[in-house]
Amino acid sequence: MSERYGDIQKEIKFLINSDNRMKILECLYESPKSLKSLIELTNLSNSSVSVNLSKLQEKGYVSVKNDTIAMSNKCKLLLTSIFNLNDTFNLLSEQADFINSHKLEKYHFNGLKDLPMIGTCDLVKSSQVDAFRIFNIFKEFCLGREYANIMFSFIPPQFPEFIDYWVENGIKVNLILDNDLFEVFIDLMKEKEYDEFLGKNICPMNINKQINFAFIVSDKGVVIGSYHGDGKFDQNAVYTSTKKDAILWAINVFEDYANFCGEEIL
């Protein structure tokens, strides 16, 4: 084990081995606080807060100025990593069955630090009563009010309807498709005599990598569909979210994939 790794391990151990210390740090994570506020928010005694603040200040994790206690950038970065790791462990535990049966390892997300964002989404499943629920969700989110960024490894049955809606309503649409679907989409646009919209409000991009999931982010929210381990698309379950953080994360994921694409059709 390297000396640097050992030092980081000691720092993490110092922070998380005390519940009282973590209570104080959680309060300081968002913004600086006064000593009185910390005592009230943590429900700890004056002496306990003072002792822990002294230890944190000694290690450079907090600073005290004019009765205002602030967390250092060093501490905030370390805590963020700890929180992300904890969220990842929670996600892996709570969604173990789903993750193990789907090809999530093929997602080109930005490392494990982004994986917990999936955990903020709702896992929606179809049922015997509503067998087409998943495709209806795809339709709902594809028909955005302003924009839609879409990655598909298949053409949904409603796709011609989507295209009509995008053209008629001037929706800004970016699509990432594998090479075969890219050609199918271009042919479909030409067949519908929508050539003039290519490269304007409808911008398809082809990617040479295999897309192992369906992904939509629009102003309505985010949808993520997955493939089973046997390579078949799961038509019975998707992750969805309408939360702002999830939408921003999904936009970043789409942009990451766009960097692997060829040029847009103009």
Side-chain angles (χ1 to χ4, degrees), residues 55-175:
K55 293 179 180 178
L56 289 166
Q57 189 175 10
E58 182 181 333
K59 288 185 171 289
Y61 290 131
V62 301
S63 61
V64 182
K65 185 176 181 180
N66 298 328
D67 193 38
T68 299
I69 300 108
M71 179 182 292
S72 68
N73 290 333
K74 164 190 170 183
C75 185
K76 192 158 191 175
L77 285 171
L78 190 55
L79 272 183
T80 299
S81 297
I82 292 171
F83 292 156
N84 284 334
L85 186 60
N86 183 64
D87 288 344
T88 299
F89 285 146
N90 288 338
L91 172 67
L92 294 175
S93 175
E94 293 168 4
Q95 305 289 349
D97 291 341
F98 185 87
I99 290 173
N100 287 334
S101 63
H102 293 74
K103 292 188 173 182
L104 295 190
E105 77 279 2
K106 299 295 185 181
Y107 288 18
H108 183 74
F109 296 160
N110 191 10
L112 277 179
K113 74 180 185 66
D114 285 341
L115 187 59
M117 187 56 69
I118 299 176
T120 69
C121 301
D122 298 318
L123 182 60
V124 180
K125 297 183 178 182
S126 59
S127 63
Q128 291 182 342
V129 177
D130 190 359
F132 297 100
R133 187 178 186 187
I134 301 307
F135 282 113
N136 287 333
I137 288 175
F138 280 135
K139 177 179 178 180
E140 177 188 352
F141 283 77
C142 275
L143 304 184
R145 289 179 292 266
E146 297 177 7
Y147 72 90
N149 294 335
I150 299 166
M151 280 188 284
F152 276 148
S153 54
F154 64 94
I155 297 291
Q158 313 102 314
F159 219 63
E161 179 185 346
F162 297 168
I163 295 174
D164 288 338
Y165 175 86
W166 297 333
V167 169
E168 291 169 7
N169 293 278
I171 308 299
K172 174 65 176 176
V173 180
N174 296 305
L175 300 107

Side-chain angles (χ1 to χ4, degrees), residues 14 37 67 70 97 99 102 116 135 153 183 211 216 242 245 247:
F14 169 78
S37 294
D67 193 38
D97 291 341
I99 290 173
H102 293 74
F135 282 113
S153 54
E183 296 299 329
I211 302 176
I216 304 164
T242 57
D245 286 347
I247 292 174

Side-chain angles (χ1 to χ4, degrees), residues 30-47:
E30 295 299 333
S31 63
K33 302 286 190 301
S34 66
L35 178 62
K36 182 180 179 182
S37 294
L38 279 179
I39 292 170
E40 292 174 352
L41 291 169
T42 60
N43 202 28
L44 298 173
S45 65
N46 189 320
S47 60

Side-chain angles (χ1 to χ4, degrees), residues 13 17 21 24 28 46 54 111 157 167 180 186 193 197 260:
K13 187 175 181 180
N17 270 8
R21 205 170 294 147
I24 293 170
L28 294 173
N46 189 320
S54 178
V167 169
D180 291 338
I186 297 302
E193 298 183 352
F197 297 97
F260 291 102

Side-chain angles (χ1 to χ4, degrees), residues 132-242:
F132 297 100
R133 187 178 186 187
I134 301 307
F135 282 113
N136 287 333
I137 288 175
F138 280 135
K139 177 179 178 180
E140 177 188 352
F141 283 77
C142 275
L143 304 184
R145 289 179 292 266
E146 297 177 7
Y147 72 90
N149 294 335
I150 299 166
M151 280 188 284
F152 276 148
S153 54
F154 64 94
I155 297 291
Q158 313 102 314
F159 219 63
E161 179 185 346
F162 297 168
I163 295 174
D164 288 338
Y165 175 86
W166 297 333
V167 169
E168 291 169 7
N169 293 278
I171 308 299
K172 174 65 176 176
V173 180
N174 296 305
L175 300 107
I176 295 177
L177 307 166
D178 66 26
N179 289 331
D180 291 338
L181 287 185
F182 181 81
E183 296 299 329
V184 171
F185 180 78
I186 297 302
D187 288 342
L188 184 58
M189 288 290 288
K190 290 179 178 178
E191 181 183 316
K192 297 177 76 65
E193 298 183 352
Y194 287 155
D195 309 48
E196 63 182 288
F197 297 97
L198 288 171
K200 294 180 180 178
N201 64 303
I202 299 180
C203 301
M205 295 172 278
N206 67 312
I207 189 169
N208 290 322
K209 292 178 175 289
Q210 184 179 4
I211 302 176
N212 288 291
F213 60 99
F215 184 94
I216 304 164
V217 54
S218 69
D219 47 50
K220 289 187 176 181
V222 182
V223 182
I224 306 172
S226 304
Y227 279 75
H228 288 295
D230 60 7
K232 295 180 180 178
F233 185 75
D234 186 354
Q235 301 182 27
N236 299 308
V238 291
Y239 280 104
T240 69
S241 178
T242 57

